[in-house]
Amino acid sequence: MARYIGPKSKIARRFGEPIFGEDKVLSRRNFPPGQHGNNRRRKLSEYGSMLAEKQKAKYIYGVLERQFRNMFDAAARQSGITGEVLLQNLESRLDNIVFRLGIAPTRAAARQLVSHKHIIVDGAVVNIPSYSVKPGQIVGVREKAKSLVVIENALAGFNHSKYPWLEWDENSKSGKLLHKPERADIPENIKEQLIVELYSK
């Protein structure tokens, strides 16, 4: 599947927050890109705010429009609050679980590890970043990939207690999804209700 590979700092500056992680450019230039970016910010319309929130969520989780819409439709069919279910489903993606477990420094790096067959789920190789991990499943690193520098560096000093819905086993370099996260535990600054309202129009 195609994905956004353009300049990430420009996107982060558009939203005014480090949606891809720590960003030195954003800290120096905390205003939108473009020649008029440093002027006073225009107030978004109601529709513009909804659209911006959807775009932000798509960029954070690395999902393009059609797949994001399909995930929303699936969340709408599930029981529970649609916006929260959508975020829970996004958090359950394999690439996101790999990122949350500290195996990769970014979601983009996690996606690459999955695509290159370095990640296993319940002992079997899974190379589909959008694979939905179920509670109880164990996500780990293939034996021959455990010595990769990118993985060793990412795991060095990583605080695995940050995410209470995941359980990490240092010896096997693997983690279990205990349950889907509660909304209060998901750290992303996303107003999911605006996304619901956008798709409900």
Side-chain angles (χ1 to χ4, degrees):
M1 186 194 78
R3 67 189 188 282
Y4 177 76
I5 56 174
K8 293 182 178 179
S9 291
K10 183 180 289 187
I11 300 300
R13 287 174 60 197
R14 183 199 300 175
F15 294 106
E17 54 186 279
I19 62 175
F20 296 109
E22 188 176 343
D23 194 316
K24 294 179 180 178
V25 175
L26 179 64
S27 62
R28 293 197 311 268
R29 310 179 72 185
N30 188 18
F31 51 85
Q35 64 179 9
H36 302 298
N38 206 11
N39 297 338
R40 191 171 59 185
R41 288 177 182 266
R42 276 173 36 193
K43 186 175 181 180
L44 285 175
S45 65
E46 181 183 0
Y47 178 80
S49 298
M50 295 176 189
L51 185 61
E53 210 62 29
K54 183 199 70 170
Q55 297 293 82
K56 182 167 68 172
K58 282 168 49 185
Y59 281 121
I60 287 174
Y61 288 100
V63 179
L64 294 186
E65 180 59 40
R66 181 178 295 179
Q67 192 174 18
F68 192 86
R69 178 65 200 237
N70 289 341
M71 293 192 74
F72 177 84
D73 290 342
R77 290 192 298 269
Q78 293 175 248
S79 60
I81 302 171
T82 300
E84 292 186 14
V85 173
L86 173 63
L87 291 186
Q88 289 175 334
N89 291 346
L90 287 166
E91 284 288 328
S92 299
R93 282 171 53 101
L94 180 57
D95 55 359
N96 185 75
I97 295 288
V98 170
F99 167 66
R100 293 291 192 210
L101 287 172
I103 297 171
T106 64
R107 287 185 180 87
R111 193 174 301 115
Q112 189 171 49
L113 288 177
V114 174
S115 298
H116 290 184
K117 302 183 178 180
H118 296 311
I119 301 300
I120 55 177
V121 178
D122 289 343
V125 173
V126 177
N127 65 341
I128 303 171
S130 61
Y131 175 86
S132 181
V133 180
K134 306 294 188 295
Q137 288 190 303
I138 296 175
V139 175
V141 181
R142 285 183 77 178
E143 195 61 41
K144 66 179 185 179
K146 290 180 179 177
S147 59
L148 288 176
V149 174
V150 65
I151 294 176
E152 289 184 339
N153 289 346
L155 286 172
F158 186 82
N159 178 15
H160 288 97
S161 64
K162 288 195 296 184
Y163 308 116
W165 65 92
L166 297 169
E167 181 180 74
W168 176 252
D169 185 333
E170 181 60 34
N171 294 325
S172 62
K173 294 288 188 293
S174 65
K176 178 190 286 188
L177 176 61
L178 300 175
H179 54 80
K180 291 197 173 184
E182 299 296 327
R183 177 61 186 98
D185 292 329
I186 299 174
E188 306 303 341
N189 180 28
I190 297 173
K191 299 181 181 70
E192 64 274 11
Q193 185 55 35
L194 293 181
I195 300 173
V196 175
E197 291 173 10
L198 175 68
Y199 280 129
S200 299
K201 282 188 173 294

